[in-house]
Amino acid sequence: MTETESQVLLILFGGIFFAILMTLFVVGVVLIHRQRQAKNRQKIAQLQAEFEKTILNVENEIQQETLAQVGRELHDNIGQLLSLTKLNLNSSKPEKQQEAKGYVNQVIKEVRALSKTLNLDWVESLSLDEFITQQLERVQATGFCETSLQSDQSFAELKKEEKLVLIRVIQESLNNAIKHAEPNHIQVRIHRQGPSRILEIADDGLGFDSSQKSSGSGMHNLHKRMETIGGKCSVSSSPGEGTSIRIELPV
């Protein structure tokens, strides 16, 4: 075999070897890509399942909150109106019986209003600002503390899922302030900041050391819920300086 033929065979075998290496490389890349796709699909499915579970939990909790509110209204408001109606109907005075009719009409209005809250249709018909206003008015009506709302209506347009999560986060934040903070004033502020919408719930109550890891699951739940709709939640507090909860959601 001549030197030229040896060089040709060497080049030929080298080419074949390179082609085999390239084929193995391409096959390896394809396999890795498919594995990554499978992992991504699995991750997306897990995130979707977690999102649906979170929304379902939120819906259930809001329904429970609504039922508790209905129970309080039946006991404290409608029950009292019916008792007054009974007392006035038992009276022989015409003006008392007329007053009883007025109570009956009021009870009918109250029952109709309560019936509307037994499902979640109100979530779509009520804006977030209107919901917050109702919650703050309810707190202030008890004489517990003063409340205020400042809003540029940045949260006027929301998907139902986003509104559900925000409603529950707001409820939890206000309940925490009522249970633990002993504030004189609770303020809610809504505004736009760059590409984000910001909702801040601040009180001037007892506060706590937010640098210490909490043993409860409350803040963890707030964080996880906001993550499911692409938002963030942070808390700032110190003893004697009140507490501020900042909720951030991209536009």
Side-chain angles (χ1 to χ4, degrees):
M1 182 180 293
T2 63
E3 185 178 348
T4 302
E5 290 174 336
S6 298
Q7 289 177 348
V8 170
L9 285 174
L10 183 62
I11 293 171
L12 181 61
F13 284 123
I16 293 172
F17 180 72
F18 181 73
I20 293 172
L21 285 178
M22 288 300 297
T23 301
L24 291 173
F25 175 75
V26 171
V27 170
V29 169
V30 170
L31 289 175
I32 292 172
H33 179 66
R34 287 182 176 177
Q35 286 178 347
R36 287 180 178 174
Q37 281 186 323
K39 288 181 180 179
N40 287 337
R41 283 194 294 268
Q42 185 179 6
K43 187 176 181 181
I44 290 171
Q46 289 175 344
L47 290 174
Q48 182 66 25
E50 183 179 349
F51 172 76
E52 292 174 354
K53 181 180 178 181
T54 298
I55 297 301
L56 181 61
N57 287 340
V58 167
E59 287 181 336
N60 288 336
E61 288 172 358
I62 291 177
Q63 286 175 338
Q64 291 299 321
E65 187 83 17
T66 300
L67 288 172
Q69 177 191 338
V70 169
R72 288 192 295 268
E73 288 294 320
L74 287 172
H75 181 271
D76 299 336
N77 185 21
I78 295 178
Q80 183 180 10
L81 289 172
L82 289 173
S83 296
L84 290 172
T85 302
K86 181 180 179 181
L87 287 173
N88 283 281
L89 285 175
N90 288 333
S91 174
S92 58
K93 296 179 180 178
E95 62 271 18
K96 289 293 183 180
Q97 294 182 357
Q98 188 63 33
E99 192 174 337
K101 292 180 181 179
Y103 284 134
V104 169
N105 289 331
Q106 192 173 346
V107 167
I108 292 171
K109 290 180 181 179
E110 294 289 343
V111 170
R112 284 175 177 171
L114 283 175
S115 67
K116 294 178 181 179
T117 67
L118 290 176
N119 55 51
L120 293 181
D121 290 345
W122 60 268
V123 172
E124 295 186 9
S125 63
L126 199 68
S127 72
L128 195 68
D129 282 26
E130 290 170 335
F131 170 77
I132 294 171
T133 299
Q134 287 183 0
Q135 296 296 302
L136 294 180
E137 287 178 349
R138 189 172 296 153
V139 172
Q140 187 159 326
T142 65
F144 179 77
C145 70
E146 295 294 315
T147 63
S148 61
L149 169 64
Q150 295 179 0
S151 174
D152 63 1
Q153 298 184 336
S154 292
F155 288 88
E157 295 184 7
L158 290 167
K159 298 176 183 177
K160 182 181 178 181
E161 293 82 4
E162 293 175 333
K163 193 187 293 186
L164 278 169
V165 171
L166 287 170
I167 282 174
R168 192 56 187 149
V169 168
I170 291 165
Q171 285 179 328
E172 288 191 47
S173 300
L174 291 176
N175 286 339
N176 285 337
I178 293 169
K179 289 178 181 178
H180 307 297
E182 300 180 17
N184 294 314
H185 186 257
I186 296 175
Q187 181 186 45
V188 179
R189 182 169 174 254
I190 294 174
H191 60 98
R192 177 85 173 264
Q193 186 173 332
S196 297
R197 293 166 287 182
I198 309 297
L199 190 153
E200 294 175 306
I201 302 173
D203 67 69
D204 59 356
L206 299 176
F208 60 95
D209 187 354
S210 57
S211 65
Q212 299 293 322
K213 188 175 181 180
S214 174
S215 59
S217 60
M219 284 308 303
H220 177 73
N221 289 338
L222 297 186
H223 286 297
K224 294 298 292 183
R225 283 174 174 169
M226 289 305 300
E227 284 178 5
T228 62
I229 58 172
K232 294 187 290 186
C233 179
S234 60
V235 60
S236 175
S237 183
S238 56
E241 298 295 328
T243 301
S244 176
I245 295 176
R246 178 185 171 95
I247 298 163
E248 185 175 338
L249 189 68
V251 176

